[in-house]
PDB file of all heavy atoms in Angstrom:
ATOM      1  N   LEU A 419      64.919 -13.518 340.268  1.00 98.00           N
ATOM      2  CA  LEU A 419      63.849 -13.973 339.363  1.00 98.00           C
ATOM      3  C   LEU A 419      62.620 -14.396 340.220  1.00 98.00           C
ATOM      4  O   LEU A 419      61.476 -14.138 339.858  1.00 98.00           O
ATOM      5  CB  LEU A 419      64.311 -15.082 338.507  1.00 98.00           C
ATOM      6  CG  LEU A 419      63.349 -15.587 337.446  1.00 98.00           C
ATOM      7  CD1 LEU A 419      62.997 -14.496 336.481  1.00 98.00           C
ATOM      8  CD2 LEU A 419      63.966 -16.760 336.703  1.00 98.00           C
ATOM      9  N   THR A 420      62.890 -15.079 341.348  1.00 98.00           N
ATOM     10  CA  THR A 420      61.802 -15.495 342.224  1.00 98.00           C
ATOM     11  C   THR A 420      61.045 -14.292 342.825  1.00 98.00           C
ATOM     12  O   THR A 420      59.800 -14.254 342.828  1.00 98.00           O
ATOM     13  CB  THR A 420      62.359 -16.358 343.374  1.00 98.00           C
ATOM     14  OG1 THR A 420      63.004 -17.486 342.833  1.00 98.00           O
ATOM     15  CG2 THR A 420      61.253 -16.806 344.324  1.00 98.00           C
ATOM     16  N   LEU A 421      61.777 -13.308 343.305  1.00 98.00           N
ATOM     17  CA  LEU A 421      61.141 -12.098 343.817  1.00 98.00           C
ATOM     18  C   LEU A 421      60.359 -11.359 342.736  1.00 98.00           C
ATOM     19  O   LEU A 421      59.267 -10.830 343.021  1.00 98.00           O
ATOM     20  CB  LEU A 421      62.190 -11.216 344.492  1.00 98.00           C
ATOM     21  CG  LEU A 421      62.816 -11.724 345.738  1.00 98.00           C
ATOM     22  CD1 LEU A 421      63.926 -10.770 346.246  1.00 98.00           C
ATOM     23  CD2 LEU A 421      61.755 -11.874 346.812  1.00 98.00           C
ATOM     24  N   LEU A 422      60.906 -11.274 341.524  1.00 98.00           N
ATOM     25  CA  LEU A 422      60.199 -10.629 340.434  1.00 98.00           C
ATOM     26  C   LEU A 422      58.918 -11.339 340.096  1.00 98.00           C
ATOM     27  O   LEU A 422      57.867 -10.706 339.922  1.00 98.00           O
ATOM     28  CB  LEU A 422      61.135 -10.535 339.206  1.00 98.00           C
ATOM     29  CG  LEU A 422      60.552  -9.834 337.986  1.00 98.00           C
ATOM     30  CD1 LEU A 422      60.317  -8.355 338.300  1.00 98.00           C
ATOM     31  CD2 LEU A 422      61.480  -9.968 336.805  1.00 98.00           C
ATOM     32  N   GLY A 423      58.952 -12.645 340.058  1.00 98.00           N
ATOM     33  CA  GLY A 423      57.737 -13.418 339.784  1.00 98.00           C
ATOM     34  C   GLY A 423      56.717 -13.232 340.851  1.00 98.00           C
ATOM     35  O   GLY A 423      55.494 -13.121 340.581  1.00 98.00           O
ATOM     36  N   MET A 424      57.131 -13.258 342.129  1.00 98.00           N
ATOM     37  CA  MET A 424      56.192 -13.066 343.222  1.00 98.00           C
ATOM     38  C   MET A 424      55.584 -11.680 343.172  1.00 98.00           C
ATOM     39  O   MET A 424      54.387 -11.509 343.439  1.00 98.00           O
ATOM     40  CB  MET A 424      56.904 -13.286 344.554  1.00 98.00           C
ATOM     41  CG  MET A 424      57.251 -14.773 344.771  1.00 98.00           C
ATOM     42  SD  MET A 424      58.287 -15.064 346.220  1.00 98.00           S
ATOM     43  CE  MET A 424      57.191 -14.552 347.548  1.00 98.00           C
ATOM     44  N   CYS A 425      56.317 -10.700 342.803  1.00 98.00           N
ATOM     45  CA  CYS A 425      55.796  -9.313 342.676  1.00 98.00           C
ATOM     46  C   CYS A 425      54.806  -9.221 341.546  1.00 98.00           C
ATOM     47  O   CYS A 425      53.766  -8.528 341.677  1.00 98.00           O
ATOM     48  CB  CYS A 425      56.937  -8.317 342.473  1.00 98.00           C
ATOM     49  SG  CYS A 425      57.959  -8.079 343.950  1.00 98.00           S
ATOM     50  N   VAL A 426      55.052  -9.895 340.428  1.00 98.00           N
ATOM     51  CA  VAL A 426      54.110  -9.871 339.319  1.00 98.00           C
ATOM     52  C   VAL A 426      52.790 -10.512 339.732  1.00 98.00           C
ATOM     53  O   VAL A 426      51.697  -9.965 339.489  1.00 98.00           O
ATOM     54  CB  VAL A 426      54.715 -10.603 338.102  1.00 98.00           C
ATOM     55  CG1 VAL A 426      53.640 -10.860 337.037  1.00 98.00           C
ATOM     56  CG2 VAL A 426      55.836  -9.743 337.513  1.00 98.00           C
ATOM     57  N   VAL A 427      52.862 -11.655 340.406  1.00 98.00           N
ATOM     58  CA  VAL A 427      51.627 -12.336 340.860  1.00 98.00           C
ATOM     59  C   VAL A 427      50.881 -11.506 341.914  1.00 98.00           C
ATOM     60  O   VAL A 427      49.670 -11.333 341.841  1.00 98.00           O
ATOM     61  CB  VAL A 427      51.947 -13.739 341.424  1.00 98.00           C
ATOM     62  CG1 VAL A 427      50.778 -14.361 342.121  1.00 98.00           C
ATOM     63  CG2 VAL A 427      52.453 -14.644 340.340  1.00 98.00           C
ATOM     64  N   PHE A 428      51.581 -10.927 342.834  1.00 98.00           N
ATOM     65  CA  PHE A 428      50.985 -10.100 343.870  1.00 98.00           C
ATOM     66  C   PHE A 428      50.324  -8.842 343.232  1.00 98.00           C
ATOM     67  O   PHE A 428      49.232  -8.435 343.592  1.00 98.00           O
ATOM     68  CB  PHE A 428      52.036  -9.672 344.877  1.00 98.00           C
ATOM     69  CG  PHE A 428      51.471  -9.005 346.106  1.00 98.00           C
ATOM     70  CD1 PHE A 428      50.699  -9.702 346.990  1.00 98.00           C
ATOM     71  CD2 PHE A 428      51.719  -7.647 346.318  1.00 98.00           C
ATOM     72  CE1 PHE A 428      50.162  -9.031 348.136  1.00 98.00           C
ATOM     73  CE2 PHE A 428      51.214  -7.010 347.403  1.00 98.00           C
ATOM     74  CZ  PHE A 428      50.424  -7.707 348.332  1.00 98.00           C
ATOM     75  N   GLY A 429      51.028  -8.224 342.276  1.00 98.00           N
ATOM     76  CA  GLY A 429      50.451  -7.092 341.552  1.00 98.00           C
ATOM     77  C   GLY A 429      49.203  -7.444 340.809  1.00 98.00           C
ATOM     78  O   GLY A 429      48.197  -6.709 340.824  1.00 98.00           O
ATOM     79  N   PHE A 430      49.203  -8.582 340.120  1.00 98.00           N
ATOM     80  CA  PHE A 430      47.981  -9.079 339.415  1.00 98.00           C
ATOM     81  C   PHE A 430      46.831  -9.309 340.374  1.00 98.00           C
ATOM     82  O   PHE A 430      45.698  -8.978 340.066  1.00 98.00           O
ATOM     83  CB  PHE A 430      48.276 -10.336 338.639  1.00 98.00           C
ATOM     84  CG  PHE A 430      47.087 -10.873 337.933  1.00 98.00           C
ATOM     85  CD1 PHE A 430      46.618 -10.265 336.788  1.00 98.00           C
ATOM     86  CD2 PHE A 430      46.426 -11.969 338.435  1.00 98.00           C
ATOM     87  CE1 PHE A 430      45.488 -10.744 336.118  1.00 98.00           C
ATOM     88  CE2 PHE A 430      45.300 -12.480 337.820  1.00 98.00           C
ATOM     89  CZ  PHE A 430      44.825 -11.838 336.643  1.00 98.00           C
ATOM     90  N   LEU A 431      47.102  -9.877 341.560  1.00 98.00           N
ATOM     91  CA  LEU A 431      46.075 -10.100 342.545  1.00 98.00           C
ATOM     92  C   LEU A 431      45.481  -8.777 343.037  1.00 98.00           C
ATOM     93  O   LEU A 431      44.263  -8.670 343.238  1.00 98.00           O
ATOM     94  CB  LEU A 431      46.596 -10.931 343.690  1.00 98.00           C
ATOM     95  CG  LEU A 431      46.878 -12.393 343.402  1.00 98.00           C
ATOM     96  CD1 LEU A 431      47.503 -13.076 344.593  1.00 98.00           C
ATOM     97  CD2 LEU A 431      45.596 -13.123 342.986  1.00 98.00           C
ATOM     98  N   ILE A 432      46.309  -7.795 343.175  1.00 98.00           N
ATOM     99  CA  ILE A 432      45.841  -6.464 343.616  1.00 98.00           C
ATOM    100  C   ILE A 432      44.917  -5.881 342.528  1.00 98.00           C
ATOM    101  O   ILE A 432      43.832  -5.339 342.818  1.00 98.00           O
ATOM    102  CB  ILE A 432      47.008  -5.510 343.971  1.00 98.00           C
ATOM    103  CG1 ILE A 432      47.656  -5.971 345.295  1.00 98.00           C
ATOM    104  CG2 ILE A 432      46.540  -4.088 344.074  1.00 98.00           C
ATOM    105  CD1 ILE A 432      48.930  -5.212 345.625  1.00 98.00           C
ATOM    106  N   ILE A 433      45.342  -5.978 341.281  1.00 98.00           N
ATOM    107  CA  ILE A 433      44.508  -5.488 340.143  1.00 98.00           C
ATOM    108  C   ILE A 433      43.215  -6.238 340.092  1.00 98.00           C
ATOM    109  O   ILE A 433      42.133  -5.663 339.877  1.00 98.00           O
ATOM    110  CB  ILE A 433      45.324  -5.574 338.858  1.00 98.00           C
ATOM    111  CG1 ILE A 433      46.450  -4.610 338.885  1.00 98.00           C
ATOM    112  CG2 ILE A 433      44.389  -5.337 337.664  1.00 98.00           C
ATOM    113  CD1 ILE A 433      47.449  -4.788 337.710  1.00 98.00           C
ATOM    114  N   LEU A 434      43.250  -7.547 340.265  1.00 98.00           N
ATOM    115  CA  LEU A 434      42.039  -8.368 340.240  1.00 98.00           C
ATOM    116  C   LEU A 434      41.081  -8.009 341.370  1.00 98.00           C
ATOM    117  O   LEU A 434      39.881  -7.859 341.115  1.00 98.00           O
ATOM    118  CB  LEU A 434      42.438  -9.854 340.345  1.00 98.00           C
ATOM    119  CG  LEU A 434      41.290 -10.855 340.247  1.00 98.00           C
ATOM    120  CD1 LEU A 434      40.710 -10.800 338.825  1.00 98.00           C
ATOM    121  CD2 LEU A 434      41.788 -12.251 340.548  1.00 98.00           C
TER     122      LEU A 434
END
Side-chain angles (χ1 to χ4, degrees):
L419 186 61
T420 301
L421 290 176
L422 181 64
M424 290 172 64
C425 288
V426 167
V427 170
F428 189 69
F430 177 75
L431 289 175
I432 289 174
I433 291 170
L434 184 67

